[in-house]
């Protein structure tokens, strides 16, 4: 307790100290100290984030992130993370070598986890994760850690990963959430209470404060949808709300999402051309050549090809693909899909592409194409493709909502269902009566 206070004092910051019942109306920024939140304790109402309040949350325990918020987390104790948005202001002055092997030890976790030796797993060390027992290797020590408790990138809502790490780079310890005119920035980087001072951690903390104080919301757009209703249901579960598609609704401050079946939009091609010329945005999800020919006012080449993965540098902060990486387009079930191969700027093998002059983004992995119910090997691909589609749509300005702001101030009740079952992820299991069934996947 008091570690964040000491950190801010050493940086010369001034603040008012508030409690859980505080009225935050007079304030622009709320800083939540390390380990301040508990699973069942009170917390301030941050609903005013929608009106412009900015919240900076320093390191919280895995119990709070999992049980109170509903995130899926990993307690890796990472000694290296990677910049997902290298030109982000929070990373100013920091290079790849500064995001690894920090001095001293992190203190958010004890050096050893609490294990149980479960006979059902041949006495392998076992921990409880999201209500189910999972095996994991022994872990000892926190020396050199840069991030001990990481959040799995949500597939719902406008969550923007600034850095990432862990298996398949699916976790982020520096995650910015945007809703309405405000934001919540989760800093799970081990910058607070280290046993030794690290210069990179100090620079990162200073950048975080400067960024939050100066943050301004980007323009928001109403979303329109056209195509297969399966895709619409998927994106609505991810927190987006869509207006009805018509020529009259295609104004410059809209973003249009179109999935295969574009031939039906051919009568609207002139209206779509005018919409794009006026500054509207279009997200093409899983298009074929037929779709492109029927809708677009320019020529683009799309052909069938096998896709496993693609390699490309992290897109910049102002790119419509910001926050997206090669791990998000990794297909664990290699198959032939439609890939963009000409007429626009492509990334990797054409699984992603941008026509920047007309605000058109192509994403050739549609998450609902990976039905994992009969093949759980596809579940990771579904997760990453879901995050991919959500992230691109949010980058284009589409509004979305999640339960985050409500859960911040609402303690967990005794009879409440597990919050991680709904809210941030789309691969929610239907049955939890037998936790060991998951190991038969």
């Amino acid at each position: 307790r008091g570690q964040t206070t000491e950190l801010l004092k050493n940086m010369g910051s001034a603040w008012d100290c508030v409690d859980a019942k505080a009225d935050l109306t007079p304030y622009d920024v709320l800083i939540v100290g390390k380990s301040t939140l508990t699973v069942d304790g009170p917390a301030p109402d941050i609903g005013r984030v929608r009106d412009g309040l900015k919240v900076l949350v320093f390191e919280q325990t895995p119990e709070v992130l999992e049980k109170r918020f509903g995130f899926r987390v990993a307690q890796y104790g990472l000694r290296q993370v990677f910049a997902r948005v290298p030109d982000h202001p929070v990373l100013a002055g920091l290079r790849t070598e500064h995001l690894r092997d920090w001095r001293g030890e992190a203190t958010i976790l004890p050096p050893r986890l609490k294990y149980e030796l479960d006979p059902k797993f041949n006495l392998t060390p076992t921990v409880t994760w999201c209500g189910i027992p999972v095996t994991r290797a022994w872990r000892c020590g926190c020396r050199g850690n840069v991030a001990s408790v990481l959040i799995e990138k949500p597939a719902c809502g406008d969550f923007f990963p600034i850095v990432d790490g862990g298996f398949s780079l699916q976790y982020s310890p520096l995650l910015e959430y945007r809703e309405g005119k405000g934001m919540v920035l989760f800093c799970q980087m081990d910058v607070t209470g280290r046993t030794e001072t690290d210069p990179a951690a100090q620079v990162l903390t200073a950048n975080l404060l400067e960024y939050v104080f100066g943050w301004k919301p980007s323009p928001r757009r109403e979303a329109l949808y056209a195509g297969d209703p399966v895709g619409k249901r998927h994106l609505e579960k991810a927190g987006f709300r869509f207006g009805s598609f018509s020529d009259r609704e295609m104004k410059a401050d809209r973003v249009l999402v179109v999935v295969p079946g574009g031939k039906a939009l051919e009568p609207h091609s002139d209206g779509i051309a005018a919409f794009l010329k006026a500054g509207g945005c279009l997200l093409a999800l899983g298009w074929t050549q037929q779709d492109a020919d029927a809708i677009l006012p320019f020529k683009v080449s799309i052909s069938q090809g096998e896709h496993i993965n693609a390699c490309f540098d992290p897109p910049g902060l102002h790119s419509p693909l910001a926050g997206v990486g090669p791990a998000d387009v990794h297909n664990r079930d290699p198959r032939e899909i439609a890939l963009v191969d000409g007429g626009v700027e492509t990334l990797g093998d054409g699984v992603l592409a941008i026509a920047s002059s007309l605000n058109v983004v192509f994403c050739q992995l549609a998450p609902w194409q990976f039905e994992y119910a009969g093949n759980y090997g596809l579940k990771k691909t579904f997760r990453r493709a879901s995050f991919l589609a959500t992230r691109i749509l949010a980058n284009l300005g589409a509004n979305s909502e999640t339960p985050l702001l409500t859960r911040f101030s609402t303690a967990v009740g005794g009879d409440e269902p597990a919050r991680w079952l709904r809210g941030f992820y789309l691969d929610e299991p239907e049955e939890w009566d037998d936790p060991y069934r998951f190991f038969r996947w």
Side-chain angles (χ1 to χ4, degrees):
R1 299 297 182 184
Q3 291 178 339
T4 309
T5 299
E6 182 180 356
L7 177 70
L8 296 177
K9 282 182 178 179
N10 292 338
M11 301 189 70
S13 299
W15 66 89
D16 292 339
C17 192
V18 300
D19 59 23
K21 299 180 180 179
D23 178 10
L24 301 180
T25 303
Y27 300 101
D28 297 319
V29 177
L30 173 67
I31 298 176
V32 181
K34 175 185 175 184
S35 300
T36 298
L37 299 173
T38 60
V39 174
D40 54 2
D45 181 359
I46 62 168
R48 206 168 60 81
V49 164
R50 299 183 183 93
D51 300 319
L53 178 68
K54 297 169 285 189
V55 182
L56 174 57
V57 183
F58 282 99
E59 306 97 304
Q60 302 301 314
T61 63
E63 291 77 19
V64 166
L65 294 174
E66 180 183 279
K67 297 178 181 179
R68 184 173 189 125
F69 287 108
F71 293 120
R72 294 199 291 237
V73 300
Q75 303 177 50
Y76 275 129
L78 291 184
R79 294 178 174 87
Q80 181 176 13
V81 294
F82 304 91
R84 187 49 46 214
V85 189
D87 60 341
H88 197 284
V90 168
L91 301 179
L94 298 173
R95 299 188 299 273
T96 301
E97 59 266 31
H98 298 137
L99 299 177
R100 61 179 298 168
D101 302 313
W102 284 355
R103 297 177 183 176
E105 298 182 18
T107 55
I108 188 69
L109 292 180
R112 294 172 179 81
L113 299 182
K114 182 181 179 181
Y115 295 102
E116 294 182 4
L117 301 181
D118 196 322
K120 295 184 179 180
F121 298 107
N122 297 320
L123 298 180
T124 303
T126 304
V127 297
T128 300
W129 173 86
C130 287
I132 63 175
V134 295
T135 58
R136 60 165 298 159
W138 294 103
R139 175 178 174 273
C140 181
C142 299
R143 178 165 293 278
N145 284 9
V146 298
S148 299
V149 183
L150 296 89
I151 300 172
E152 183 181 318
K153 298 175 187 177
C156 302
D158 189 353
F159 285 92
F160 186 56
I162 302 170
V163 300
D164 54 24
F167 179 76
S168 192
L169 300 182
Q170 66 182 323
Y171 301 95
S172 177
L174 206 53
L175 195 61
E176 179 181 323
Y177 174 74
R178 306 160 182 169
E179 185 173 334
K181 298 178 181 179
M183 56 91 85
V184 181
L185 181 52
F186 289 92
C187 175
Q188 289 296 123
M189 298 287 284
D190 293 322
V191 298
T192 313
R194 302 190 67 84
T195 58
E196 296 180 34
T197 300
D198 186 273
Q202 290 181 309
V203 170
L204 180 62
T205 305
N207 289 347
L208 282 168
L209 294 172
E210 184 176 358
Y211 175 70
V212 171
F213 293 148
W215 184 88
K216 301 294 182 184
S218 56
R220 299 283 89 185
R221 295 174 179 266
E222 183 181 344
L224 307 175
Y225 183 93
D228 191 340
V230 173
K232 184 178 182 181
R233 288 194 295 269
H234 175 95
L235 294 172
E236 286 177 338
K237 288 181 180 179
F240 297 98
R241 296 294 175 264
F242 295 96
S244 57
F245 171 79
S246 70
D247 288 341
R248 290 178 299 174
E249 295 298 326
M250 287 193 297
K251 302 176 183 178
D253 60 348
R254 304 288 199 268
V255 53
L256 174 61
V257 181
V258 183
V259 302
K263 192 70 175 176
L265 293 182
E266 191 168 9
H268 304 278
S269 58
D270 291 341
I272 291 175
F275 164 73
L276 294 175
K277 187 176 181 179
C281 296
L282 189 151
L283 173 57
L285 271 172
W287 274 21
T288 64
Q289 185 69 58
Q290 185 182 30
D291 298 316
D293 292 341
I295 298 173
L296 294 179
F298 58 90
K299 291 295 183 181
V300 60
S301 175
I302 301 177
S303 58
Q304 293 293 120
E306 184 183 57
H307 171 72
I308 300 175
N309 206 340
C311 185
F312 50 88
D313 293 331
L317 177 62
H318 301 293
S319 167
L321 299 177
V324 170
D328 299 316
V329 298
H330 181 193
N331 178 14
R332 290 161 177 79
D333 180 30
R335 63 180 69 179
E336 283 200 353
I337 65 172
L339 299 172
V340 181
D341 58 9
V344 292
E345 177 189 353
T346 61
L347 275 73
D349 59 359
V351 68
L352 299 172
I354 306 172
S356 53
S357 60
L358 286 176
N359 300 321
V360 179
V361 180
F362 297 85
C363 176
Q364 297 303 100
L365 286 182
W368 52 89
Q369 296 173 344
F370 299 94
E371 178 52 57
Y372 60 83
N375 177 7
Y376 282 100
L378 292 178
K379 197 167 190 180
K380 188 64 63 63
T381 302
F382 173 82
R383 287 179 180 174
R384 304 315 298 275
S386 297
F387 166 77
L388 173 69
T390 297
R391 182 68 257 143
I392 296 174
L393 189 51
N395 284 343
L396 294 177
N399 284 308
S400 61
E401 294 182 358
T402 72
L404 176 67
L405 304 185
T406 301
R407 290 178 178 179
F408 186 96
S409 58
T410 307
V412 176
D415 298 329
E416 183 178 356
R419 289 182 175 177
W420 59 78
L421 290 177
R422 62 191 190 282
F424 298 126
Y425 305 97
L426 298 174
D427 54 320
E428 300 166 348
E430 297 178 359
E431 299 176 9
W432 284 72
D433 53 335
D434 175 16
Y436 292 95
R437 65 184 286 270
F438 291 89
F439 294 94
R440 295 193 290 271
W441 288 357

